[in-house]
Amino acid sequence: MIRKATADDAEEFCHVITQSIITLCTLDHKNDRQMLNDWLANKTPENCKKWIEDTNLNSFVAEENQQILGISQIGHNGHLYLCYVLPGAEGKGIGKQLLQTAEQSVITKALTNFTLESTQTARGFYEHHGYQYDGKSKSCLKLFKPIKP
């Protein structure tokens, strides 16, 4: 079940992000301790609570048997900030559901594209769901998805 995240979800929300980065994003951090520490530095329950409570963002969780298996977060500007699944939950359609729920939550006539910055690990997932690499960025893959009327 996908539902809106609440401040009470902050700790599990954070746990999903950190475990996904540590375990599933090794292609990107290559187990480099400093790179991993830098990436995870702002991934705290306190920050996650602030992000969930931010009125310019829509945050979602995928929950099964009272456990959060995935999270997503999108700005009202159409920029996807977060979309992570817990290790062991990947490949089950949870990421797809979270992505679609996030996109649907901000569809307006004012948006022409969804945007995001992707890891190498997640690039194929986003491209499979209609996102295109901008062809310019080097350090972080900038992708966009045109919104069709």
Side-chain angles (χ1 to χ4, degrees):
M1 170 182 82
I2 308 294
R3 63 170 174 79
K4 278 197 93 69
T6 68
D8 291 338
D9 296 321
E11 194 166 319
E12 279 189 87
F13 195 93
C14 183
H15 177 74
V16 169
I17 296 169
T18 59
Q19 291 307 301
S20 182
I21 290 170
I22 291 167
T23 306
L24 302 178
C25 296
T26 54
L27 176 65
D28 298 279
H29 60 69
K30 299 172 182 64
N31 292 314
D32 178 301
R33 181 52 58 193
Q34 187 58 53
M35 184 184 294
L36 197 51
N37 287 343
D38 291 347
W39 194 352
L40 297 174
N42 70 338
K43 312 307 187 282
T44 65
E46 296 79 20
N47 280 343
C48 286
K49 182 178 180 188
K50 288 177 191 173
W51 300 338
I52 291 168
E53 291 176 332
D54 187 326
T55 58
N56 293 308
L57 301 170
N58 295 346
S59 302
F60 301 94
V61 296
E63 190 175 50
E64 186 177 288
N65 299 322
Q66 299 181 339
Q67 180 186 12
I68 294 176
L69 301 178
I71 64 95
S72 65
Q73 186 173 73
I74 195 166
H76 294 176
N77 60 358
H79 187 80
L80 185 74
Y81 291 97
L82 303 168
C83 190
Y84 290 97
V85 295
L86 203 57
E90 72 273 20
K92 298 178 181 177
I94 294 169
K96 175 183 177 178
Q97 290 175 0
L98 284 162
L99 178 62
Q100 289 175 341
T101 299
E103 290 173 345
Q104 289 300 313
S105 78
V106 296
I107 288 215
T108 69
K109 292 180 182 179
L111 294 177
T112 57
N113 290 301
F114 293 116
T115 60
L116 59 87
E117 293 175 3
S118 178
T119 60
Q120 287 287 348
T121 301
R123 180 178 178 175
F125 168 80
Y126 291 118
E127 288 177 337
H128 178 75
H129 293 288
Y131 285 79
Q132 303 165 28
Y133 176 50
D134 73 357
K136 302 172 193 168
S137 59
K138 301 280 187 246
S139 61
C140 203
L141 298 172
K142 294 186 187 208
L143 297 140
F144 68 95
K145 177 180 178 179
I147 296 175
K148 296 177 179 133

